[in-house]
Amino acid sequence: MNRRPRLLATAAVGATAALLLTACGGGSDESKGNDKIAGADTGEKTSASPSASESVSAGRPKIELPSDVKITFTPERSGDATKDAILKDNAEFIRALNAAIVAQNPRLSALEFYTEGEGAAAAQQWVQSFKTAGWTVTGAVQYFDRQVDVKSKDSASLSYCGDESEGFSKVIKTGEVKKTKATKNSYIAYGVQVEKNEQGAWELVKIVSTRGAERCQR
């Protein structure tokens, strides 16, 4: 079966760091194990991510995505200023990762801006796997049940779910979209660690994921 390239587990990440738009519409039940997470529907309105960032904070890169790549985040805000900043930078990291896949550039400056250390290594490897395969991404992915746990003034963790039932890989050379049926593996649970850098951005430093997680099924 045609599937997207899989990011191999590394000691640094501790699990396969499937990051986004990675399920190829969910694939089949063959692809089990750590890969992503999906969660319960919060019932909140989901806002669509525009093709370019709505606002670019001081020093933050502008991220643009093609019109056929749509990413949404629920919730976008929590009402707490620190948590909202973390949620926003996490969303921008996800957008930057997609932009790097589209650009076929593992060292895209926007991706490097939102990652550091183990997180940067995992993200670069993931983008490289698409580049090696000659594939990009298309379709829509929803991230929901996004929760933030602030550990200190410069450290936090997030958990959230991804719905990849409408997200697919696309062969760059031919334009063929690798569509597959949605299954429980279309839903992924994520656990992320972030740290605040000197520029005030919350960078991804570690990510683990579980494909087919029960809490993320819809």
Side-chain angles (χ1 to χ4, degrees), residues 9 16 58 73 151 199:
T16 301
F73 303 91
K151 306 292 187 182
Q199 295 170 286

Side-chain angles (χ1 to χ4, degrees), residues 37-41 144 161 183-188 210-218:
I37 305 176
D41 191 347
F144 61 102
C161 297
T183 71
K184 72 174 187 177
N185 288 319
S186 301
Y187 305 96
I188 302 95
T210 304
R211 184 175 296 279
E214 290 301 322
R215 83 172 187 87
C216 293
Q217 299 300 312
R218 287 182 150 180

Side-chain angles (χ1 to χ4, degrees), residues 49-52 64-71 102 137-140 170:
S49 177
S51 59
E64 296 185 352
L65 292 170
S67 60
D68 67 323
V69 177
K70 301 195 181 294
I71 310 171
V102 171
V137 291
T138 190
K170 181 169 71 174

Side-chain angles (χ1 to χ4, degrees), residues 98-109:
N98 277 279
I101 292 172
V102 171
Q104 300 282 282
N105 182 5
R107 300 300 298 271
L108 188 73
S109 59

Side-chain angles (χ1 to χ4, degrees), residues 141-181:
V141 172
Q142 301 175 36
Y143 292 91
F144 61 102
D145 195 18
R146 303 170 74 215
Q147 301 178 33
V148 180
D149 181 14
V150 179
K151 306 292 187 182
S152 68
K153 65 181 179 64
D154 56 8
S155 176
S157 62
L158 295 89
S159 64
Y160 51 93
C161 297
D163 176 353
E164 299 183 343
S165 58
E166 297 297 326
F168 308 102
S169 299
K170 181 169 71 174
V171 181
I172 294 174
K173 187 175 289 188
T174 65
E176 177 191 1
V177 177
K178 300 288 188 179
K179 287 193 174 183
T180 57
K181 270 188 183 181

